[in-house]
Amino acid sequence: MRDSRKLRWLVVVLFAGMAASWSTGRAAEENRSVLIVYFSRVGNTSFPPGLDTVTRASVIAHEGRYFGNTELVARWIQAEVGGDLFLIQTGQPYSPDYDETVRRGEQENRDGVHPPLATRVPDIGKYDVVFLGYPAWAYDIPMPLYSFLDNHDLSGKTVIPFSTSGGSSVNQTSRTIQRLQPRVKLLPGITVSHNQIVNARESVVRWVRGLQF
């Protein structure tokens, strides 16, 4: 119970920091060419009311809304550099049960299934810089990200990966992105551990500020 109260307190601090930072990002007119694409369980899953996010992997609750770990990192990046957010959504939602989602993701990976997507960036050509975020599934990018890269040609763009994971490194998944999109300029990415997400904002901001793009 004490750990649960501590986690809820950290979440309040986390979002207070986010609210302050969202007003200090670069002017939007300076970042019209930046796109922040991310895939997250939140937005691809119908969660039941009253979800226990204290013990639920990859989901955080705040003010009646659920946020995915990868979504949080995407929003921190947007707060720092501006740009547009884009959520990759699959045609078939994933299960609210985390273990079932893991099993489906592993099966998709084994079978090489690229699931149909319900969303597409309307004008990918206008962006020069694309941040690409995802949870690492089965030590690889999730198969919906394969689908996104099938449907969007990023040739000539600067691509910056970021991942959330229980143990995988973004370096492993970056190689997949480079293989699928060989004509992009791939910059060093960042991995945020699931169990460190509530304390990760400062390290994400330092990483973003250290990028040259």
Side-chain angles (χ1 to χ4, degrees), residues 64-126:
R65 181 183 165 189
Y66 300 131
F67 292 84
N69 290 346
T70 307
E71 178 186 4
L72 286 180
V73 179
R75 290 185 179 277
W76 291 333
I77 294 169
Q78 186 188 39
E80 187 64 25
V81 304
D84 298 328
L85 277 179
F86 179 81
L87 169 65
I88 298 172
Q89 291 181 287
T90 55
Q92 179 185 355
Y94 286 83
S95 169
D97 182 270
Y98 179 76
D99 292 335
E100 177 59 32
T101 295
V102 169
R103 286 191 291 270
R104 175 179 160 185
E106 290 175 345
Q107 187 66 49
E108 288 176 342
N109 184 278
R110 284 193 298 269
D111 296 343
V113 173
H114 297 194
L117 301 183
T119 54
R120 185 185 180 99
V121 178
D123 186 6
I124 193 70
K126 72 179 183 180

Side-chain angles (χ1 to χ4, degrees), residues 156-178:
K157 302 182 187 303
T158 297
V159 174
I160 309 170
F162 61 97
S163 68
T164 56
S165 171
S168 300
S169 166
V170 73
N171 296 330
Q172 296 169 282
T173 51
S174 292
R175 289 191 286 270
T176 299
I177 296 170
Q178 188 76 77

Side-chain angles (χ1 to χ4, degrees), residues 30-201:
E30 296 178 1
N31 295 280
R32 295 186 189 277
S33 64
V34 176
L35 177 66
I36 304 160
V37 176
Y38 70 96
F39 173 75
S40 180
R41 288 183 69 212
V42 176
N44 282 281
T45 302
S46 295
F47 291 106
L51 183 71
D52 177 14
T53 58
V54 172
T55 59
R56 184 75 54 170
S58 75
V59 181
I60 291 176
H62 180 68
E63 295 183 350
R65 181 183 165 189
Y66 300 131
F67 292 84
N69 290 346
T70 307
E71 178 186 4
L72 286 180
V73 179
R75 290 185 179 277
W76 291 333
I77 294 169
Q78 186 188 39
E80 187 64 25
V81 304
D84 298 328
L85 277 179
F86 179 81
L87 169 65
I88 298 172
Q89 291 181 287
T90 55
Q92 179 185 355
Y94 286 83
S95 169
D97 182 270
Y98 179 76
D99 292 335
E100 177 59 32
T101 295
V102 169
R103 286 191 291 270
R104 175 179 160 185
E106 290 175 345
Q107 187 66 49
E108 288 176 342
N109 184 278
R110 284 193 298 269
D111 296 343
V113 173
H114 297 194
L117 301 183
T119 54
R120 185 185 180 99
V121 178
D123 186 6
I124 193 70
K126 72 179 183 180
Y127 296 103
D128 301 311
V129 177
V130 178
F131 285 85
L132 201 57
Y134 47 88
W137 286 3
Y139 303 99
D140 196 5
I141 62 175
M143 300 311 286
L145 205 69
Y146 275 87
S147 301
F148 176 85
L149 295 174
D150 289 342
N151 298 337
H152 299 82
D153 184 4
L154 306 183
S155 296
K157 302 182 187 303
T158 297
V159 174
I160 309 170
F162 61 97
S163 68
T164 56
S165 171
S168 300
S169 166
V170 73
N171 296 330
Q172 296 169 282
T173 51
S174 292
R175 289 191 286 270
T176 299
I177 296 170
Q178 188 76 77
R179 175 172 57 82
L180 297 174
Q181 297 273 348
R183 292 185 292 278
V184 303
K185 178 184 178 182
L186 196 66
L187 295 190
I190 190 172
T191 300
V192 179
S193 173
H194 290 166
N195 58 13
Q196 296 295 323
I197 189 71
V198 295
N199 299 310
R201 179 179 168 269

